[in-house]
């Protein structure tokens, strides 16, 4: 029966599949090349050669990078900005979104209008830089954290999610004597765990990939984040910051560059699959009401 009712493949369908396979292959080949070169043994590495699979596997490039002060400092900087920034992002975003669900809050419509206004207009690079400079945050990690403390899109989506929660639960909690803070911590937060998981990953990925703000506001190279270090190493071909002072011929610079790229994206690749299931559930729960 299934053979009778199934749709026969047309030439257009085959062309679509072939096109999508080609696009997928073109997209994945750079990743394969990066991984392959990073694991290639220095003894068999040939400059400008294409490696689909390493002729001889080696972890020399990774051991070399992990012994350098510049990479360790960049890793510590990125971890600090990501952990602290993500925690503050979640606290500020969910607290503000919950406050905006309260129709009795003074100035609620004006604040909500300002949040929506930020979805369309941005102050720009120069005003932001002048603000950070006047606050004395140049060359400080807080320049990266405070600049991305929250955003209008996240607040609107989280507010919509909280609006979709049954109001009877909050009313019952208040009858039992809970105040707004108690309702938020004991009722709203437990029910918002899917959204919290989704936005935690959104915020963490954004902080982990921080590049432009770090390049502008961090003037001390010892405070650079991983993305700035990798850019300097790969695009600017400046490997002075990654060398340990040994013989550069021991580990080819190209394998060091590729290994640094792999190490910079590895944590997100490891965490992403475990939280991916919360994306649709956490974001779509508040998109439809009724």
């Amino acid at each position: 029966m299934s053979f009778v009712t199934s749709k026969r493949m047309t030439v257009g369908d085959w062309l679509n599949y072939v096109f999508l396979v080609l696009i997928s292959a073109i997209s994945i080949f750079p990743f394969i090349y990066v991984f392959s070169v990073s694991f290639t043994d220095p003894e068999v590495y040939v400059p400008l050669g294409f490696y689909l699979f390493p002729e001889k596997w080696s972890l020399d490039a990774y051991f070399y990078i992990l012994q350098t002060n510049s990479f360790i400092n960049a890793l510590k900087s990125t971890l600090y900005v990501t952990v602290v920034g993500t925690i503050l992002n979640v606290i500020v975003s969910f607290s503000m979104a919950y406050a905006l669900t309260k129709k009795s809050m003074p100035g609620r419509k004006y604040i909500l209008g300002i949040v929506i206004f930020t979805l369309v207009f941005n102050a720009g690079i120069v005003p932001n830089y002048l603000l950070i400079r006047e606050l004395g945050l140049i060359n400080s990690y807080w320049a990266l954290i405070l600049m991305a403390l929250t955003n209008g899109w996240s607040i609107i989506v989280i507010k919509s999610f909280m609006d979709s929660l049954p109001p009877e639960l909050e009313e019952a909690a208040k009858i039992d004597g809970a105040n707004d803070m108690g309702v938020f911590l004991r009722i709203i937060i437990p029910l918002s765990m899917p959204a919290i998981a989704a936005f935690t990953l959104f915020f963490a990925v954004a902080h982990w990939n921080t590049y432009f703000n770090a390049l502008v506001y961090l003037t001390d190279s010892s405070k650079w984040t991983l993305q700035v270090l990798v850019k300097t190493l790969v695009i600017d071909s400046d490997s002075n910051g990654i060398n340990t002072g040994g013989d550069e011929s021991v580990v080819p610079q190209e394998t060091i560059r590729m290994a640094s790229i792999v190490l910079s994206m590895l944590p997100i690749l490891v965490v992403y699959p475990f939280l991916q299931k919360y994306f649709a559930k956490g974001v779509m729960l508040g998109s439809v009401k009724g």
Side-chain angles (χ1 to χ4, degrees):
M1 186 67 179
S2 61
F3 291 99
V4 177
T5 58
S6 62
K7 182 180 178 181
R8 177 175 294 183
M9 296 286 292
T10 63
V11 176
D13 293 332
W14 282 110
L15 290 177
N16 287 335
Y17 285 127
V18 172
F19 177 74
L20 292 175
V21 169
L22 289 176
I23 294 297
S24 301
I26 293 173
S27 301
I28 199 173
F29 272 147
F31 292 95
I32 296 177
Y33 173 77
V34 169
F35 276 96
S36 179
V37 172
S38 67
F39 285 103
T40 299
D41 191 284
E43 297 179 356
V44 298
Y45 172 74
V46 178
L48 304 179
F50 178 78
Y51 294 86
L52 187 59
F53 296 102
E55 180 180 344
K56 183 178 179 181
W57 294 80
S58 174
L59 295 175
D60 290 350
Y62 293 92
F63 290 137
Y64 187 87
I65 292 176
L66 293 176
Q67 292 176 356
T68 60
N69 293 329
S70 56
F71 188 87
I72 298 301
N73 290 337
L75 180 60
K76 291 179 179 178
S77 299
T78 303
L79 286 174
Y80 178 82
V81 171
T82 300
V83 173
V84 176
T86 301
I87 293 174
L88 293 179
N89 280 146
V90 172
I91 293 174
V92 172
S93 299
F94 279 81
S95 299
M96 186 171 182
Y98 177 67
L100 290 175
T101 61
K102 301 300 179 182
K103 296 181 180 180
S104 60
M105 185 183 73
R108 171 181 174 272
K109 292 184 179 180
Y110 296 102
I111 297 175
L112 187 58
I114 293 174
V115 172
I116 297 175
F117 182 83
T118 62
L119 297 176
V120 183
F121 298 96
N122 188 286
I125 299 174
V126 175
N128 287 333
Y129 181 84
L130 294 177
L131 175 61
I132 293 298
R133 188 185 66 179
E134 291 301 319
L135 292 175
L137 297 179
I138 296 296
N139 200 34
S140 171
Y141 295 131
W142 287 104
L144 311 182
I145 297 173
L146 295 179
M147 283 290 293
L149 200 56
T150 188
N151 58 79
W153 178 83
S154 298
I155 293 175
I156 295 299
V157 174
I158 296 171
K159 176 185 174 299
S160 299
F161 171 81
M162 292 182 176
D163 284 335
S164 68
L165 298 177
E168 293 80 9
L169 295 175
E170 185 172 349
E171 294 173 0
K174 288 187 175 181
I175 291 175
D176 291 337
N179 55 19
D180 288 334
M181 183 59 69
V183 172
F184 178 67
L185 295 177
R186 299 179 182 179
I187 304 296
I188 302 300
I189 291 300
L191 293 177
S192 302
M193 290 310 297
I196 291 176
F199 278 93
T200 295
L201 188 54
F202 289 157
F203 294 139
V205 171
H207 282 295
W208 185 270
N209 292 329
T210 296
Y211 165 70
F212 183 77
N213 286 342
L215 185 65
V216 172
Y217 300 122
L218 298 181
T219 58
D220 187 356
S221 60
S222 64
K223 292 185 176 182
W224 280 355
T225 59
L226 277 177
Q227 308 308 324
V228 178
L229 180 65
V230 170
K231 177 263 180 185
T232 303
L233 182 65
V234 176
I235 298 180
D236 296 344
S237 298
D238 181 9
S239 59
N240 293 328
I242 203 71
N243 289 332
T244 57
D247 185 5
E248 296 185 7
S249 63
V250 174
V251 180
Q253 291 301 311
E254 186 67 13
T255 61
I256 294 177
R257 295 187 181 99
M258 298 307 170
S260 65
I261 294 175
V262 173
L263 288 175
S264 65
M265 65 181 180
L266 184 61
I268 298 300
L269 292 178
V270 172
V271 174
Y272 187 89
F274 295 99
L275 296 179
Q276 185 181 13
K277 62 181 180 180
Y278 294 107
F279 280 5
K281 185 177 180 181
V283 175
M284 294 301 294
L285 274 177
S287 61
V288 179
K289 293 184 64 178

